[in-house]
Amino acid sequence: MTAPDPFTPARLGPLTLRNRLIKCATFEGATPDALVTDDLIEFHREVAAGGVAMSTVAYCAVAPEGRTDRHQIWLRDEAMPGLRRLTDAIHSEGALAAAQLGHAGPVANSVSNRKKALGPSHIPAPMGMSVTQKLDADGITAMLATFRRAARIAVDSGFDGLEIHCGHNYLISSFLSPLLNHRHDGYGGSLVNRARFAREVVEAVRDEVGDEAAVWAKLNMYDGVGTPGTGHRSRFSGFNTDEACAVAQLLESDGHLDAIEPTAGSSLLNPMYLFHGEPPRDEFADAFRGAMRAGLKAMGPVFLKHYEYHDAYLLPLARQLRAAVRMPLILLGGITDRASMELALTEGFDFVAMGRALLREPDLPLRIQADPTTTSRCVHCNLCMPTIYSHTRCPIRAGEVPDPLAVEVTAQ
């Protein structure tokens, strides 16, 4: 099969994208007052100018208690003027703008937010050193209205696409996980029940925005706990690939999504499964204070595991999702050059999403388009990960740590 050219226009729901490259949602750490700043605007304007078709703003919480800390944007009327400036800046560079709609659930910091973290059950919420408040039936109904209102605010602020965060054991993902969802009502137990909340959120968002925006879900394929498939499930297993395929089929049958972006890993249990590469254990611990810092120093090797990096590293899991559904899929994870883009498109994925490589080189897409032999200067050190708590950046690009590639050239 001949791969489509990644730099030709493509349709995503009601949208026409100028190419098949999407800047994925990577929290920018640039909203100290929970509102858009000039830094956030410049972050996305630069990426848009660098050649992607769409830049995704993360993390747009749907409610104040749904943030990993109080410095994150939450979608409300007060935020709209800044969000409009942000989408205007992205549009001025010829790209489209997407908002990642999410609720952190058990990943929320209740101390920072000064509000209880929420979950499907009473489960640990380590960011606030607390236990979640169980979302009851009335709370679920209210949450659906909250997602609906957030979607309206995003679209009215100029966003072209909405990504619903169903990954990483944030609120929707925690409902999907048998390890975290201990409910005995219509939202717990069987997979169909655990998937009910996700399906209702997606339906509410689509019902609100219709064809005013593209809508897709970032869906976990594997929480990184237990084994990827159901063959060896234990009481300590999380959401896995077989279940993800079944949920994707349910979402496809509902007909409310334009695409799915498969992801993996858990911000609660195994974050490095999403990233792969070197785990920045000391730097990650140093981003916190007090008990959290001490705990991360002690538990770093357990919490931040090492997974070998290779290009398109989520493709082996995502292939199973590709075989399970016919709807468009966006491949995430290790897309750094034309070869990895073409590999994804050859295997039937419709778009690719880029993250860390764009932190290192925002103009990488334009350079790859001009010269197909271009390689990324991202070395997958993951030192960008801890910077989300201050101002997300590539420390190599910022000159804060030596560039290993430059050292190699000098040595030669």
Side-chain angles (χ1 to χ4, degrees), residues 107-149:
V107 184
N109 188 329
S110 57
V111 174
S112 177
N113 292 334
R114 303 182 181 94
K115 292 178 179 290
K116 280 272 193 180
L118 303 178
S121 312
H122 297 298
I123 54 178
M127 289 292 289
M129 307 295 284
S130 63
V131 174
T132 61
Q133 175 180 311
K134 179 181 176 179
L135 204 61
D136 61 16
D138 289 341
I140 288 174
T141 299
M143 187 60 67
L144 297 177
T146 297
F147 267 93
R148 179 188 289 270
R149 172 166 171 74

Side-chain angles (χ1 to χ4, degrees), residues 62-211:
V62 298
E65 83 284 347
R67 298 172 290 175
T68 58
D69 70 63
R70 68 178 181 276
H71 302 297
Q72 290 177 327
I73 290 175
W74 65 281
L75 294 171
R76 62 209 192 277
D77 291 344
E78 184 186 2
M80 291 181 69
L83 291 169
R84 172 58 75 175
R85 289 200 301 126
L86 172 56
T87 57
D88 284 348
I90 294 171
H91 292 153
S92 72
E93 299 293 349
L96 301 180
Q100 184 187 59
L101 304 185
H103 190 293
V107 184
N109 188 329
S110 57
V111 174
S112 177
N113 292 334
R114 303 182 181 94
K115 292 178 179 290
K116 280 272 193 180
L118 303 178
S121 312
H122 297 298
I123 54 178
M127 289 292 289
M129 307 295 284
S130 63
V131 174
T132 61
Q133 175 180 311
K134 179 181 176 179
L135 204 61
D136 61 16
D138 289 341
I140 288 174
T141 299
M143 187 60 67
L144 297 177
T146 297
F147 267 93
R148 179 188 289 270
R149 172 166 171 74
R152 172 49 53 197
I153 287 173
V155 169
D156 288 350
S157 298
F159 285 100
D160 310 284
L162 303 176
E163 176 184 281
I164 302 173
H165 200 331
C166 305
H168 309 160
N169 287 162
Y170 282 37
L171 184 62
I172 297 175
S173 174
S174 67
F175 268 80
L176 292 170
S177 170
L179 189 63
L180 302 177
N181 184 342
H182 309 145
R183 302 175 75 101
H184 300 288
D185 61 4
Y187 291 91
S190 70
L191 179 61
V192 170
N193 284 0
R194 285 184 277 124
R196 180 180 172 187
F197 182 53
R199 297 170 74 185
E200 290 179 346
V201 169
V202 168
E203 181 179 16
V205 169
R206 175 58 79 188
D207 182 62
E208 178 62 37
V209 304
D211 62 359

Side-chain angles (χ1 to χ4, degrees), residues 254-303:
D254 292 340
H256 303 307
L257 289 177
D258 296 309
I260 290 176
E261 180 178 304
T263 186
S266 165
S267 297
L268 288 178
L269 305 168
N270 191 357
M272 287 306 300
Y273 200 90
L274 167 61
F275 294 96
H276 284 53
E278 292 297 324
R281 294 169 182 148
D282 290 340
E283 293 82 1
F284 201 84
D286 289 341
F288 293 88
R289 297 179 181 177
M292 278 293 291
R293 175 181 289 184
L296 286 168
K297 289 282 189 184
M299 298 299 293
V302 176
F303 181 62

Side-chain angles (χ1 to χ4, degrees), residues 220 222-226 239 264-266 269-270 273 305 307:
N220 248 32
Y222 173 47
D223 289 349
V225 182
F239 191 63
S266 165
L269 305 168
N270 191 357
Y273 200 90
K305 302 176 182 179
Y307 295 96

